[in-house]
Amino acid sequence: MMNFLRSLNINQWLGIACVSGFTLNLIAYYPGFLSPDSFDQYSQAASGQYNDWHSPIMAVLWGLFIKVRPGTLLILIFQLGLLWTSVYLLLSSIKSKLWYVLILLFSLAPFIQNFAAYIVKDTQMAFSWLLAVAIILRAGLSKGKLSKTEAVICFLLITYGSWVRINALPGSIALCYLLSWIIFKNKTKYIRLVSAIFVWVIIGVGHWVFDYNIIKAEKTYPQTKLYLHDLTGIYAKTGVNFYPPFLYSSSDFDTTVLRKGYHSATFDDLWVGRNGKEIYSFEDDTTVIMLQQAWAKAIRTYPNVYFNNRMEGFFYYLRIKDRGSNPHNLFAEIYPQPNFLGLSFHPNILSKIFIRPIEKQTRMPYMKPWFWLVLNVLLFAFSGKLDKLECRVTYKALISSSILYLLPAFFIFPADTDFRYFYWNCIACSLAVCILIIDRFYFAKQDNKA
């Protein structure tokens, strides 16, 4: 046995460490953590009837797993597999003890582990993009290029992450450039940029074609919520009513209630009627167009009010301002109870080992969204100071993707309660910090010795 252990090389030891991390996570978190969003995705996966309230690509993938084994085991294995495969590829990219420590700390950080087993689109988006970045960084540092198989896998991972969350597409443009950069490394910047834009457009158009032409998903995404929220905000601040006339046909439509219930941080309080049922559920093309027109007119008339409402709401979204709502920094449960799958989470010893440190750190600055925006902005100051080319390009792609994913939320953020919306920012920025440190304290020293 001792001879066998001595015969193992460093990559094999790293593989054992990552398989161990994966196994411990699986035992600690099984059967995974599920919210109403997760159960909705499972229902679509099992029935084969899709809608676009949540991007249906995750339901399609889950449906394939369900055919093999119903339940959550395979989707949980897939999700944790993305994480720990990424960790292995990152660890084996650079032979440095400092790097090993950085990446292991990264993989076990509370802002990584808090949603690792939460079966939801935010986690799958973040982990699929993380794996694509890990493949590219490792290939760039080891051989300077991607194989055709690796390039296809990276494209599929970036595509899946872009499709699985409806607002993820802006963040993927930087990853498309990273992929283009390593494929066309010896070409001009112009060719790399054009090819990145081409791939990005293909991903965006492909999302629309897949959802509505291939799997024929029903259009139920509540974009009307966004219009009503902004219309109500302008009405609450100015007293001027821009609501289109057709809204008054609903007995639940009450402008007085809307005006009093408006809060810039969330539209959820405007969406539930007196009987606890969702109201204003009109998503046909005609009513959406009418709402769009009313919304656009209101913004044209009161652009400053619209901007101020959005800015105030964004401050709540980032937790710079706090309205006393419960922030979901950790999701380690199965809700609702009971549920149609009969699932419940019973913590074991390993569960407590993983979860309790996260619970104790939920009030730390790095468990607040504003922290990651501030860090993201600060990291831009170092973007031109990395010595190793592969590190520098990957670093820029990570921080650019993070900010491009975050800032558009100014216009479309849903509510200020879920930290999971910032999961990719946590992963991208913390990995960028690891790359910055290893470049400064490892590659820079190597260059000086040379």
Side-chain angles (χ1 to χ4, degrees):
M1 182 64 178
M2 292 300 296
N3 290 334
F4 170 74
L5 293 177
R6 291 193 191 98
S7 69
L8 297 177
N9 60 39
I10 185 62
N11 283 344
Q12 290 169 328
W13 278 111
L14 295 176
I16 290 172
C18 291
V19 170
S20 299
F22 167 84
T23 304
L24 292 173
N25 265 177
L26 185 62
I27 295 171
Y29 297 146
Y30 181 79
F33 306 130
L34 296 95
S35 67
D37 288 356
S38 312
F39 284 109
D40 180 54
Q41 292 281 73
Y42 187 91
S43 296
Q44 293 183 52
S47 67
Q49 300 296 315
Y50 308 105
N51 64 63
D52 66 354
W53 188 292
H54 306 291
S55 295
I57 184 65
M58 178 178 164
V60 172
L61 177 64
W62 203 346
L64 297 177
F65 292 146
I66 289 172
K67 289 180 180 178
V68 178
R69 179 191 171 107
T72 62
L73 176 62
L74 295 184
I75 194 80
L76 180 60
I77 288 174
F78 167 75
Q79 195 164 288
L80 292 175
L82 290 176
L83 170 62
W84 286 101
T85 301
S86 301
V87 172
Y88 171 75
L89 293 176
L90 289 170
L91 285 170
S92 59
S93 297
I94 303 170
K95 290 181 171 56
S96 162
K97 291 180 181 179
L98 173 62
W99 180 247
Y100 300 154
V101 171
L102 289 172
I103 297 303
L104 288 175
L105 288 175
F106 163 81
S107 66
L108 297 174
F111 46 80
I112 303 297
Q113 286 291 317
N114 57 345
F115 298 126
Y118 183 9
I119 302 174
V120 73
K121 52 187 176 288
D122 309 80
T123 305
Q124 299 212 353
M125 182 206 84
F127 286 171
S128 60
W129 282 2
L130 173 63
L131 181 53
V133 171
I135 292 171
I136 293 171
L137 178 62
R138 185 175 188 266
L141 290 172
S142 63
K143 55 188 178 182
K145 63 180 181 179
L146 289 175
S147 67
K148 291 181 180 179
T149 301
E150 289 171 332
V152 170
I153 291 173
C154 288
F155 171 76
L156 292 176
L157 288 167
I158 295 170
T159 298
Y160 182 74
S162 304
W163 287 10
V164 79
R165 181 152 185 84
I166 197 167
N167 63 324
L169 190 62
S172 67
I173 182 63
L175 302 182
C176 289
Y177 182 81
L178 179 62
L179 179 61
S180 173
W181 171 82
I182 196 165
I183 293 175
F184 301 106
K185 200 170 183 180
N186 298 321
K187 304 294 183 180
T188 64
K189 290 183 179 180
Y190 175 78
I191 291 176
R192 294 198 295 264
L193 181 60
V194 169
S195 62
I197 293 173
F198 176 76
V199 171
W200 186 67
V201 170
I202 290 295
I203 290 173
V205 173
H207 189 188
W208 184 84
V209 171
F210 178 82
D211 283 4
Y212 303 115
N213 292 83
I214 297 178
I215 64 171
K216 301 188 183 302
E218 181 185 359
K219 292 183 179 181
T220 61
Y221 180 72
Q223 57 180 306
T224 48
K225 275 188 176 185
L226 302 175
Y227 300 139
L228 279 170
H229 192 222
D230 290 332
L231 285 169
T232 303
I234 291 172
Y235 176 50
K237 298 295 177 64
T238 67
V240 180
N241 184 340
F242 289 92
Y243 296 119
F246 78 87
L247 289 174
Y248 293 89
S249 63
S250 170
S251 60
D252 285 309
F253 186 75
D254 188 328
T255 57
T256 302
V257 172
L258 288 171
R259 190 174 185 179
K260 289 181 178 179
Y262 171 77
H263 198 293
S264 60
T266 178
F267 51 49
D268 286 344
D269 295 337
L270 308 178
W271 192 246
V272 180
R274 289 185 290 273
N275 298 320
K277 296 180 179 179
E278 290 186 350
I279 57 178
Y280 319 134
S281 297
F282 31 80
E283 296 295 337
D284 62 274
D285 292 340
T286 302
T287 55
V288 169
I289 290 172
M290 293 172 70
L291 265 176
Q292 283 176 335
Q293 292 171 343
W295 173 77
K297 182 179 179 181
I299 292 174
R300 286 196 304 269
T301 307
Y302 294 103
N304 290 338
V305 176
Y306 166 76
F307 181 82
N308 289 337
N309 285 343
R310 279 278 138 196
M311 181 62 74
E312 181 185 61
F314 198 56
F315 283 167
Y316 282 108
Y317 184 61
L318 294 172
R319 291 279 164 173
I320 295 172
K321 299 180 71 173
D322 189 350
R323 64 188 175 101
S325 57
N326 182 31
H328 298 142
N329 306 84
L330 166 68
F331 195 90
E333 60 181 309
I334 296 178
Y335 177 82
Q337 286 291 347
N339 52 74
F340 64 83
L341 288 176
L343 290 175
S344 58
F345 175 62
H346 301 288
N348 53 43
I349 295 176
L350 277 177
S351 306
K352 296 173 182 177
I353 291 173
F354 277 103
I355 294 172
R356 281 181 179 172
I358 303 172
E359 291 175 334
K360 291 182 180 296
Q361 296 181 65
T362 54
R363 295 185 181 275
M364 297 299 289
Y366 47 74
M367 299 297 266
K368 306 290 184 182
W370 61 261
F371 174 88
W372 297 100
L373 176 58
V374 172
L375 179 60
N376 210 152
V377 172
L378 291 175
L379 289 173
F380 273 105
F382 298 93
S383 59
K385 298 183 178 181
L386 282 79
D387 290 328
K388 191 73 172 177
L389 177 62
E390 291 78 9
C391 289
R392 185 166 67 249
V393 177
T394 305
Y395 177 92
K396 288 181 177 180
L398 284 167
I399 60 175
S400 299
S401 175
S402 176
I403 203 73
L404 288 171
Y405 170 70
L406 173 58
L407 291 183
F410 177 90
F411 300 100
I412 59 172
F413 72 87
D416 65 336
T417 52
D418 279 313
F419 190 51
R420 65 183 171 91
Y421 300 138
F422 302 90
Y423 199 41
W424 173 239
N425 303 108
C426 298
I427 288 176
C429 289
S430 53
L431 180 56
V433 169
C434 294
I435 292 173
L436 177 63
I437 292 172
I438 198 64
D439 184 84
R440 292 287 81 203
F441 293 96
Y442 178 72
F443 287 118
K445 287 183 177 180
Q446 282 192 332
D447 290 343
N448 290 335
K449 289 180 181 179

